[in-house]
Amino acid sequence: MLMYPHIDPIALKLGPLAIHWYGLTYLAAFGLFMLLGTLRLRHQPYASMTGAQAWSRRDVEDILFLGVLGVVVGGRLGYCLFYKPGYYLSHPLEIFYIWQGGMSFHGGLLGVILSMLWFARSRHRPWLQVADFVAPCVPTGLAAGRIGNFINGELWGRFADPSLPWAMVFPQSGSMQPRHPSQIYQFLMEGLLLFVLLWLYARRERRQGEVAAAFLVGYGCFRFIAEYFREPDAFLGLLSLGMSMGQWLCLPMIAGGVALWVWAQRHSPAPQARHSG
């Protein structure tokens, strides 16, 4: 049985300036997106596009900027609407108190979708083409965020059998009983594993919409599984059918991914074979 190592959330302090590990994980996420987005430019069909439809590093930078706005605004609004609507309706100004915590992945996803719609419209590109480009570059950022959760000692797991070799005690949870380190589970499943599967899948040109659909189904399924090990929010607990809010929010995500996949199979033309030479 392991003990949470009590990592100092402040990585570096320079006088009054404190640099937190959580902030550094965000910077790592942004840097990884730029790196992977630049590599993604070499994948088909993006590598073969020319003229006004050609993709460039500037596009990756603009997508990152818009994506950050979507994550912050959507993530915060999603948390307020999905998890504590009554409270924030009574205290609307606290919606802007993002330093107090409270972000929702599913809200952030909706924010990113809207930002990608804006990008696609402004560049006169099909939205699904943009979504397919972005999808494989996202999981490493999610992985970085879960490392930040672990460093902060937050979002701990449910109680675990003490005989489990990696069961961990999180004293900040208010209990000295061993728990699942669910942040690490999510890091491995929603982050690393999803990235490897999506990146390998996207290296070969697919029907438009298939890569985005694979992300929605893949993340939705991995998050749904991980929620069985993660302690539900204390103010919500478990909802209908013994499922958490996170699991309920994953269901429309998975359904949307399946629907998009079916649509792509029926309406999106098959990619043409490309020969080098």
Side-chain angles (χ1 to χ4, degrees):
M1 190 169 65
L2 306 175
M3 183 71 68
Y4 175 75
H6 293 287
I7 303 171
D8 189 341
I10 298 178
L12 181 64
K13 196 166 186 178
L14 301 173
L17 178 64
I19 301 175
H20 289 72
W21 283 110
Y22 200 67
L24 293 178
T25 63
Y26 268 77
L27 288 178
F30 302 154
L32 286 169
F33 183 91
M34 277 301 305
L35 172 63
L36 295 174
T38 303
L39 295 175
R40 187 92 171 99
L41 294 172
R42 304 175 187 175
H43 294 172
Q44 297 296 351
Y46 310 100
S48 299
M49 293 181 177
T50 57
Q53 294 300 307
W55 281 72
S56 67
R57 181 181 174 86
R58 175 63 182 273
D59 292 317
V60 181
E61 294 171 353
D62 290 345
I63 287 175
L64 175 59
F65 174 75
L66 292 171
V68 170
L69 290 179
V71 166
V72 174
V73 176
R76 181 58 176 170
L77 291 178
Y79 178 81
C80 297
L81 292 174
F82 298 153
Y83 290 87
K84 291 184 175 181
Y87 177 83
Y88 286 103
L89 282 175
S90 302
H91 306 80
L93 291 180
E94 293 191 25
I95 293 175
F96 302 99
Y97 295 1
I98 59 175
W99 57 87
Q100 293 184 355
M103 296 286 282
S104 162
F105 165 81
H106 296 89
L109 176 64
L110 292 174
V112 169
I113 289 174
L114 291 176
S115 69
M116 295 305 98
L117 283 169
W118 174 270
F119 176 85
R121 183 172 182 179
S122 66
R123 302 301 169 88
H124 305 289
R125 293 191 173 120
W127 178 74
L128 286 177
Q129 181 189 104
V130 177
D132 286 342
F133 181 89
V134 170
C137 307
V138 172
T140 52
L142 301 178
R146 294 310 177 193
I147 292 296
N149 294 146
F150 182 78
I151 291 174
N152 282 353
E154 60 190 8
L155 306 184
W156 49 76
R158 304 186 193 188
F159 294 126
D161 190 321
S163 64
L164 187 70
W166 54 84
M168 182 172 289
V169 174
F170 290 86
Q172 58 270 54
S173 70
S175 169
M176 296 303 290
Q177 296 187 54
R179 296 176 177 271
H180 290 280
S182 56
Q183 313 98 320
I184 304 302
Y185 295 177
Q186 292 186 265
F187 163 77
L188 293 173
M189 289 194 294
E190 305 161 13
L192 294 188
L193 180 57
L194 182 59
F195 165 69
V196 171
L197 294 176
L198 268 183
W199 192 260
L200 293 176
Y201 181 72
R203 289 187 66 180
R204 176 182 170 188
E205 187 176 356
R206 305 288 176 177
R207 294 176 187 268
Q208 197 167 97
E210 285 186 337
V211 177
F215 170 81
L216 291 173
V217 174
Y219 178 87
C221 290
F222 287 143
R223 174 66 181 269
F224 190 92
I225 295 170
E227 285 283 331
Y228 279 117
F229 302 95
R230 175 173 161 175
E231 182 73 13
D233 295 288
F235 57 87
L236 284 178
L238 295 176
L239 306 178
S240 300
L241 303 180
M243 297 197 304
S244 67
M245 174 62 82
Q247 287 175 312
W248 277 108
L249 292 174
C250 282
L251 293 181
M253 187 176 182
I254 296 171
V258 172
L260 178 56
W261 178 272
V262 172
W263 181 92
Q265 291 294 310
R266 294 179 178 178
H267 300 283
S268 184
Q272 298 179 353
R274 303 177 191 271
H275 303 281
S276 60

